[in-house]
Amino acid sequence: MEHAVVIAGGGPTGLMLAGELALAAVDVAIVERRDSQELAGSRAGGLHARTIEVFDQRGIADRFLSEGKVAQVAGFAGVHFDISDFPTRHPYGLGLWQNHIERILADWVGELEVPIHREREVTGFAQEDDGVDIELSDGESFRADYLVGCDGGRSVVRKTAGIEFPGWDPTTSSLIAEAEFAEEPELGIRHDALGTHAFGREEYEIRDGEVVFSDHGPVRVMVTEEHVGSTTDPTLRDLSEALIAVYGTDYGIHDPTWISRFTDMSRQAAAYRDRRVLLAGDAAHVHYPVGGQGLNIGVQDAVNLGWKLAQVVKQTSPESLLDTYHAERHPVAARVLRNTMAQVALSRPDDRIKAAGEVVSELLGMDEPRRRFAAEVSGLGIHYDLGEGHPLLGRRIPDLDLVTADGPLRLFTLLHEARPELLNLGEPGGFDITPWADRVRLIDATYEGAWELPALGAVTAPTAVLIRPDGYVAWVGEETELGLADALATWFGPPAPA
Ligand SMILES: Cc1cc2nc3c(=O)[nH]c(=O)nc-3n(C[C@H](O)[C@H](O)[C@H](O)COP(=O)(O)OP(=O)(O)OC[C@H]3O[C@@H](n4cnc5c(N)ncnc54)[C@H](O)[C@@H]3O)c2cc1C
């Protein structure tokens, strides 16, 4: 079978990428090992503000918001950040378990009619100059122009491509499970010399900013293990022993629904692309889950890559556009690896580390550091290096309340179809982009409000902005068109012949 793009793995990253490619009318298919979107085990607990914005850019944020719990979720090393003063329509995060996030994404991808070939694995591939032959576990094979490995931390695609995955071995290991208990354990978090441990329930409410667990339903446990490096699948016995070591009892644990293990192993792919093969999400970066960032940056990798890959597949842009994917996204995950490693270090039970943690927490209590760190972990402060210029360049466009000839319009509505936009806020009719008119939409609008960016504050009002399909600003006009033609060609391909 042939597809323009085959995605290995239909987790959050693969699903988002499939949606982005389908919006661009690219023939894409997912190959997924699991027989349904059901997840064995809980993983991510929710979304950060930028990911909610990214979904809003596609018109699907309400699907998540209506099922989750809005809360202040950003934090660093035990310091909670309140981002309610940030200039965004969504100055908060969302508590929503990963199985629900995946279900909502899978429904969206289903509406976009992306085929998902389930209960099949990508087992290998061979790259040629003009395509990739992809082997599947059922003996079939696919031919594609591009293969994207969204197949998680143990990515077969990454390994087969021979892409290095340098980083750091684990220093701490935790078990996480859902089970029945003969005795009711005390719900909540405990810190001790071994690390952090917690009991909770799947169902909870947020009251006055605090998590309040339901008094019924399955109990979930997370417990740090005494030893790192176990290579076998975790068992009920491992869990019982770990609980006894920390709590002095295993509370009569029995009948686990699932048990899994995670560590603070931190690794990142040395290259996000090898010719016709790309990596995104956990396949490209793994780290400790503290701060709840992994799923978020995976989804945002997908949104960065989708439109670029679509343009290359359609031959409107040269292959070199794909190099900007690594250039922009590798540094973002590198910072997440750094901030999670720092948080693991600061949680160590040593008086001097504790003192360092207190200093960090004092610093983060100050407004400027809070704003910077909160902008970073919420994803709202991401800045792609697109060169010198106006502060908006390489940053997310805010969801402005515009007025057009057709009436009021939220800027994010313009991005629903994942197409590039040139927003002219100056004299109507002041631009002529005919050579790109088949690819870039020109919108004349007015905007009366302030221009404010998270962490940076007020910036000068531009007279025009070129917005990429991922919502990042590719060019800023300040009274002139200087640099616009170059930016259009760089991001959306050479001008069409007259
Ligand atoms: C305990 C824990 C808590 C976490 N909490 C958070 C949080 O609060 N917030 C957050 O943002 N992140 C969190 N994370 C991280 C988050 O779960 C991951 O970053 C996220 O799942 C990555 O998505 P992905 O699609 O890249 O990879 P995955 O979710 O791993 O998906 C990969 C998919 O590929 C499939 N697959 C694998 N190999 C193949 C193959 N060869 N062929 C076909 N299919 C294949 C798998 O079945 C799977 O569906 C947490 C992780 C853990 C372990």
Side-chain angles (χ1 to χ4, degrees):
M1 212 181 297
E2 288 201 14
H3 292 287
V5 178
V6 168
I7 297 173
T13 307
L15 291 169
M16 191 69 207
L17 180 62
E20 294 291 292
L21 289 165
L23 283 176
V26 168
D27 165 23
V28 53
I30 295 177
V31 178
E32 167 56 49
R33 170 192 292 161
R34 290 181 280 159
D35 62 357
S36 77
Q37 212 60 50
E38 289 291 309
L39 260 189
S42 79
R43 290 181 73 186
L47 303 174
H48 281 290
R50 178 59 185 153
T51 313
I52 303 175
E53 280 197 346
V54 157
F55 291 146
D56 208 0
Q57 291 179 174
R58 299 299 179 251
I60 57 171
D62 288 341
R63 302 182 184 198
F64 297 88
L65 291 169
S66 64
E67 288 202 32
K69 293 178 178 74
V70 162
Q72 293 298 334
V73 301
F76 184 85
V79 179
H80 291 279
F81 299 135
D82 186 337
I83 62 164
S84 50
D85 60 333
F86 273 21
T88 160
R89 220 174 277 277
H90 304 289
Y92 42 70
L94 189 73
L96 185 63
W97 294 112
Q98 181 160 342
N99 53 340
H100 298 300
I101 297 172
E102 290 197 18
R103 171 177 44 77
I104 297 169
L105 280 173
D107 286 349
W108 177 58
V109 164
E111 289 160 25
L112 294 167
E113 298 181 357
V114 176
I116 305 185
H117 303 280
R118 291 197 178 274
E119 291 184 85
R120 264 174 262 189
E121 287 178 33
V122 168
T123 51
F125 61 83
Q127 290 207 59
E128 287 159 17
D129 285 347
D130 60 350
V132 192
D133 286 315
I134 301 154
E135 294 159 27
L136 305 188
S137 48
D138 61 1
E140 263 201 74
S141 67
F142 281 159
R143 173 84 179 176
D145 296 346
Y146 285 88
L147 168 67
V148 189
C150 298
D151 50 345
R154 299 191 178 113
S155 172
V156 166
V157 173
R158 185 190 66 232
K159 290 175 191 163
T160 310
I163 295 175
E164 297 277 303
F165 201 41
W168 295 266
D169 287 334
T171 64
T172 178
S173 173
S174 300
L175 296 175
I176 185 165
E178 189 175 281
E180 304 281 334
F181 293 85
E183 272 171 69
E184 175 79 15
E186 195 182 320
L187 303 185
I189 297 179
R190 179 187 286 203
H191 302 278
D192 67 9
L194 215 53
T196 304
H197 326 281
F199 281 100
R201 280 210 168 84
E202 183 183 354
E203 297 291 330
Y204 64 89
E205 278 179 35
I206 308 280
R207 279 192 223 139
D208 298 329
E210 301 290 329
V211 171
V212 180
F213 291 109
S214 163
D215 54 10
H216 58 275
V219 171
R220 288 183 172 179
V221 55
M222 180 186 90
V223 57
T224 308
E225 295 182 285
E226 267 182 300
H227 304 289
V228 180
S230 178
T231 50
T232 52
D233 283 342
T235 61
L236 181 60
R237 190 178 169 151
D238 295 335
L239 198 53
S240 163
E241 284 174 3
L243 284 171
I244 291 169
V246 173
Y247 291 90
T249 168
D250 67 2
Y251 298 99
I253 189 168
H254 61 96
D255 290 320
T257 331
W258 48 263
I259 308 175
S260 60
R261 176 180 278 122
F262 64 90
T263 74
D264 67 335
M265 179 172 75
S266 306
R267 296 186 176 274
Q268 189 175 17
Y272 281 20
R273 172 179 169 228
D274 171 37
R275 294 163 291 156
R276 290 180 173 275
V277 174
L278 295 122
L279 302 175
D282 277 18
H285 37 73
V286 294
H287 53 81
Y288 195 60
V290 64
Q293 301 165 90
L295 177 149
N296 285 269
I297 59 169
V299 164
Q300 292 175 48
D301 285 348
V303 173
N304 186 286
L305 175 60
W307 64 277
K308 295 175 181 172
L309 186 53
Q311 288 180 188
V312 171
V313 165
K314 292 174 170 174
Q315 300 184 344
T316 47
S317 288
E319 243 192 328
S320 57
L321 182 65
L322 294 176
D323 295 332
T324 68
Y325 166 61
H326 173 104
E328 292 178 354
R329 293 305 299 173
H330 191 278
V332 172
R335 300 237 357 146
V336 171
L337 259 66
R338 195 184 76 149
N339 87 42
T340 50
M341 286 171 68
Q343 293 188 72
V344 170
L346 287 172
S347 67
R348 297 232 158 93
D350 167 301
D351 285 342
R352 287 174 175 79
I353 301 281
K354 204 168 152 226
E358 284 166 9
V359 171
V360 167
S361 126
E362 213 170 297
L363 287 169
L364 292 177
M366 298 174 193
D367 200 46
E368 172 74 16
R370 170 194 69 95
R371 279 194 279 134
R372 285 202 188 202
F373 268 74
E376 179 161 338
V377 294
S378 65
L380 292 168
I382 287 170
H383 179 209
Y384 298 140
D385 182 6
L386 306 190
E388 294 284 302
H390 189 283
L392 272 167
L393 189 64
R395 290 197 163 85
R396 71 185 241 301
I397 186 81
D399 185 18
L400 308 174
D401 287 309
L402 303 172
V403 178
T404 68
D406 297 328
L409 183 76
R410 270 179 55 187
L411 189 146
F412 280 5
T413 321
L414 293 172
L415 296 172
H416 284 187
E417 289 154 35
R419 288 181 53 124
E421 310 281 342
L422 176 60
L423 181 64
N424 172 27
L425 298 162
E427 207 45 44
F431 286 92
D432 176 8
I433 55 162
T434 307
W436 287 275
D438 57 336
R439 285 157 270 166
V440 181
R441 181 161 56 171
L442 172 60
I443 304 278
D444 289 331
T446 55
Y447 171 65
E448 299 299 338
W451 284 84
E452 261 192 288
L453 293 178
L456 291 188
V459 299
T460 53
T463 51
V465 273
L466 180 63
I467 307 165
R468 310 191 319 193
D470 58 359
Y472 287 83
V473 174
W475 173 83
V476 183
E478 293 173 284
E479 304 294 349
T480 83
E481 285 191 29
L482 201 68
L484 176 60
D486 279 350
L488 283 163
T490 301
W491 296 109
F492 310 117

